[in-house]
Amino acid sequence: MDFLINNIALILLALVAGLMLLWPSLNRILSGVRDVSVVEATQMINHRDAVILDVREDSEYRSGHVPRSRHIPLSQLNRRLSELEKLKGHPVVVICRTGSRSGRACAALRKNGLEQVYNLAGGITAWEQANMPMER
């Protein structure tokens, strides 16, 4: 008990740090966004005509992207949502560098009526590590 009293600040700091690490995952779960692997994304592309939406910035996209992917940087997504209206019946796999920005984009897309929205777990990094095709 003395340990807890003497180290309350450290214990609180550890709890806050743990919650900050878990927040992105909890936020995705609460928003209804589902992560998919590279294999699952590829299957959706091949069998369900899924669309890949790349939300990285222009320079990142130009350095290499998934073939036939659509590019709307996360910073422009809200004002360009009308471009995605016709995708409401299609699965949309959202991709960024690691999966963090794409998670936020997925939540925004779901709020705006797209129901089949998936976040590529690990982002373009996972795509490249799986030796999947890239366009430069």
Side-chain angles (χ1 to χ4, degrees):
M1 193 61 147
D2 287 338
F3 175 82
L4 291 175
I5 293 170
N6 293 335
N7 295 297
I8 192 74
L10 290 175
I11 293 168
L12 289 174
L13 181 63
L15 286 172
V16 169
L19 287 173
M20 288 174 67
L21 289 171
L22 291 175
W23 181 250
S25 296
L26 290 173
N27 193 29
R28 264 193 297 245
I29 291 168
L30 294 174
S31 67
V33 174
R34 180 171 165 240
D35 286 348
V36 293
S37 68
V38 172
V39 171
E40 290 171 304
T42 304
Q43 290 173 344
M44 282 196 273
I45 293 165
N46 292 335
H47 301 294
R48 296 177 51 205
D49 294 323
V51 175
I52 300 290
L53 176 63
D54 195 318
V55 295
R56 296 176 298 152
E57 293 302 318
D58 293 334
S59 61
E60 294 174 289
Y61 185 79
R62 282 191 304 270
S63 70
H65 55 272
V66 176
R68 297 185 312 275
S69 60
R70 294 182 184 215
H71 178 234
I72 301 177
L74 181 60
S75 60
Q76 299 174 17
L77 186 62
N78 285 333
R79 69 176 177 265
R80 294 179 60 187
L81 283 169
S82 62
E83 296 175 32
L84 304 174
E85 285 293 317
K86 59 187 169 202
L87 300 179
K88 285 194 176 181
H90 295 276
V92 178
V93 179
V94 186
I95 189 169
C96 68
R97 186 173 57 86
T98 62
S100 179
R101 285 176 283 177
S102 54
R104 292 194 307 268
C106 285
L109 293 172
R110 285 190 52 88
K111 283 182 187 176
N112 285 282
L114 275 81
E115 296 177 6
Q116 298 181 61
V117 179
Y118 304 91
N119 182 39
L120 183 66
I124 199 76
T125 303
W127 187 269
E128 287 178 307
Q129 287 175 347
N131 292 319
M132 298 301 289
M134 295 281 289
E135 285 184 353
R136 306 241 183 246

